[in-house]
Amino acid sequence: MREPLWGVSVSTMDAKAHLVPDPIPTPPPSRRRNDAAEPRVLRPRRAAPSDCVRPTRAEVNLAALRHNLRVLERHAGTAQVWPVLKADGYGHGAPAVARTLERAGAKGFCVALVEEAIELRDAGIRAPILVMGGYYGDAHEEILERELIPVVYDPAHLEAFARAALALERPAHVHVKIDTGMARLGVRYDALAPFLDSLASHAAEIEVTGLMTHLSCAEMGQLGVSPEATTEQLARFEVACAEMARHGVRPAVRHAANSAAVLRGDGLFDVVRPGVSVFGFAPRLGGDGPSLSTELRPVMRVRTEVVDVRSLGVGEPVGYGATFRTSRPSRIATVPMGYADGMSRAVSNRGAVLVRGRRAPIVGAVSMDMAMIDVTDIPGVTLRDEVVVLGAQSGPSGSDVITVDEVAEAVGTIGWEVMTDLSRRVPRFYREP
Ligand SMILES: *Cc1c(COP(=O)(O)O)cnc(C)c1O
């Protein structure tokens, strides 16, 4: 069957459109309450490979994913690795990534949104799933029914999950988040009392199965010397955990480490929560120092093809706003990838891609669906030649690689954002090596 491009609702009379409703699994009873009144919720879908006409695509290497899990498991020691698959698995497609990692032995997963957790359950993931974002709407019962683990830090969370637990006649399992210096989410480590009181009054309905915090500066410091901020945060976490224990809250599981902390061996506890490193990107010391790991393998490669190539004389403009002018007789190729696909407009006249194994600079302004590259110095470029936007390429003119770091530098951002920028218009192809 042909996979729908988008799951948005359109008239089904429009037979030739790619826009067809997304089939949705039968919701559990609690979601069916106002069936008649509720508008049908249709989920947006990424372009699927079977719809793929344009040659622009992302290749996701599942063997590299498993390799990275092994590397992180080694760093984690006795702690379990619960990969963070928020933002559609950092742009790699969370369901396929989760299935691969679950089969490879991942013991749990973390996401930011309830929606992301449900997507993983719908994909058949059985492992524990931690929902870290802290906003639950009125989905409390569904969260418990789907056996998702909410992260809580507010007495209002406890009240809502206690009500849901009573309605379903089963205890709510939660992880409590402690704010030890990130000032984002969590009960402040030095002001636990009101939360502990609320927890005590809901002891029958709510079981705390984990305590967590989040580190703000794990990639800082020197090699071999943990950053002061991390040492301080971990000390505060210990203080908070001891205080919780005095009030009878002694869960078996504690966790704090993101990718940088896992790779540095800081705050490993019982579970670690690496995200970006699962996908082969190692944070750099201090943001731009040496990489914290050389063992990880990039998981994604983004490629497209030359769809047009033309010869220009000297002084000819290229692209919107004529921000580039040829300074010599030039060969300019067009590639079908633009900022709507996640090739940031910030790489206009700055970034590069690979053609025939060699670097070609991006010239002119990146437009919504296309970008132009200067292939004057690469002999023999023709229509349909492969163009690599991210990852490695070997060809008749050499071998090279465009790294996430390089793109981040050109865009003026961090690797995390480069990964999550790739839009759903770019189909993901999953492959073994
Ligand atoms: C995103 C996130 C992580 C993973 O961070 P990485 O730097 O990608 O490893 C871990 N914990 C929390 C709470 C997060 O939000």
Side-chain angles (χ1 to χ4, degrees):
M1 202 191 84
R2 197 174 163 78
E3 279 269 288
L5 248 188
W6 307 101
V8 286
S9 172
V10 291
S11 160
T12 47
M13 300 300 288
D14 191 0
K16 66 182 193 303
H18 288 287
L19 303 170
V20 294
D22 195 11
I24 293 186
T26 313
S30 73
R31 295 170 78 197
R32 271 194 243 121
R33 258 168 302 184
N34 321 309
D35 240 4
E38 260 173 355
R40 198 159 160 221
V41 178
L42 295 168
R43 292 183 201 149
R45 291 272 297 257
R46 190 183 314 113
S50 57
D51 284 310
C52 184
V53 175
R54 189 174 63 152
T56 304
R57 60 184 69 160
E59 298 164 352
V60 177
N61 182 331
L62 300 176
L65 205 54
R66 288 192 292 269
H67 167 85
N68 295 339
L69 178 65
R70 294 277 101 81
V71 169
L72 291 162
E73 281 171 346
R74 213 160 53 238
H75 281 275
T78 56
Q80 288 186 0
V81 177
W82 288 22
V84 179
L85 303 185
K86 60 194 180 188
D88 199 22
Y90 287 57
H92 294 66
V97 167
R99 282 195 211 109
T100 303
L101 292 174
E102 188 175 54
R103 269 187 232 125
K107 295 292 186 292
F109 295 101
C110 308
V111 294
L113 316 188
V114 175
E115 293 88 324
E116 293 170 335
I118 288 172
E119 185 183 27
L120 294 187
R121 281 283 181 259
D122 284 348
I125 298 302
R126 310 245 39 95
I129 303 175
L130 186 70
V131 184
M132 304 190 297
Y135 22 76
Y136 305 114
D138 55 6
H140 302 86
E141 284 184 31
E142 186 175 6
I143 287 166
L144 302 191
E145 282 170 335
R146 295 286 197 130
E147 297 188 32
L148 308 175
I149 309 169
V151 168
V152 299
Y153 45 83
D154 185 326
H157 288 145
L158 299 179
E159 279 149 34
F161 282 110
R163 270 196 304 278
L166 284 173
L168 297 174
E169 297 178 15
R170 61 155 95 169
H173 292 175
V174 302
H175 285 199
V176 173
K177 184 158 195 179
I178 316 280
D179 175 15
T180 56
M182 172 88 175
R184 192 171 71 173
L185 297 181
V187 204
R188 249 191 82 97
Y189 72 100
D190 56 358
L192 295 173
F195 187 80
L196 280 167
D197 288 345
S198 175
L199 209 47
S201 66
H202 294 299
E205 304 94 69
I206 294 192
E207 187 183 336
V208 178
T209 55
L211 294 178
M212 69 183 285
T213 190
H214 191 44
L215 303 171
S216 63
C217 301
E219 71 279 21
M220 301 300 168
Q222 297 161 249
L223 271 185
V225 184
S226 294
E228 238 173 81
T230 298
T231 314
E232 171 109 61
Q233 280 196 274
L234 293 174
R236 290 170 170 178
F237 186 49
E238 295 282 8
V239 168
C241 291
E243 173 77 2
M244 302 282 282
R246 271 197 295 283
H247 287 78
V249 184
R250 292 186 198 86
V253 171
R254 296 194 294 164
H255 48 103
N258 56 8
S259 293
V262 180
L263 295 173
R264 304 198 61 159
D266 282 336
L268 300 178
F269 297 106
D270 311 296
V271 162
V272 295
R273 309 187 307 263
V276 78
S277 55
V278 172
F279 302 99
F281 180 83
R284 294 185 162 272
L285 196 66
D288 55 4
S291 177
L292 290 175
S293 168
T294 53
E295 302 164 274
L296 300 167
R297 296 191 192 142
V299 171
M300 185 184 281
R301 182 173 180 272
V302 180
R303 56 87 72 194
T304 182
E305 290 173 10
V306 170
V307 293
D308 197 278
V309 58
R310 66 196 59 226
S311 297
L312 297 180
V314 180
E316 301 232 40
V318 174
Y320 282 124
T323 63
F324 179 86
R325 267 176 204 279
T326 53
S327 59
R328 54 177 180 169
S330 300
R331 297 269 292 160
I332 302 295
T334 302
V335 296
M337 182 164 186
Y339 57 76
D341 299 299
M343 176 187 276
S344 171
R345 213 167 155 276
V347 301
S348 302
N349 293 311
R350 280 176 68 88
V353 298
L354 305 177
V355 190
R356 298 173 76 81
R358 279 257 297 270
R359 241 151 232 276
I362 295 168
V363 291
V366 172
S367 47
M368 188 182 292
D369 318 301
M370 276 167 269
M372 275 71 86
I373 59 176
D374 185 344
V375 295
T376 313
D377 297 325
I378 308 173
V381 173
T382 58
L383 287 186
R384 305 227 42 206
D385 273 355
E386 184 189 67
V387 176
V388 166
V389 172
L390 187 69
Q393 188 192 49
S394 298
S397 299
S399 288
D400 210 336
V401 57
I402 307 278
T403 64
V404 169
D405 260 328
E406 175 183 345
V407 177
E409 169 84 27
V411 174
T413 185
I414 55 175
W416 290 255
E417 189 176 357
V418 170
M419 286 189 175
T420 53
D421 268 354
L422 192 75
S423 82
R424 66 183 181 182
R425 196 166 74 167
V426 178
R428 274 68 166 172
F429 282 71
Y430 298 95
R431 52 175 48 173
E432 299 295 341

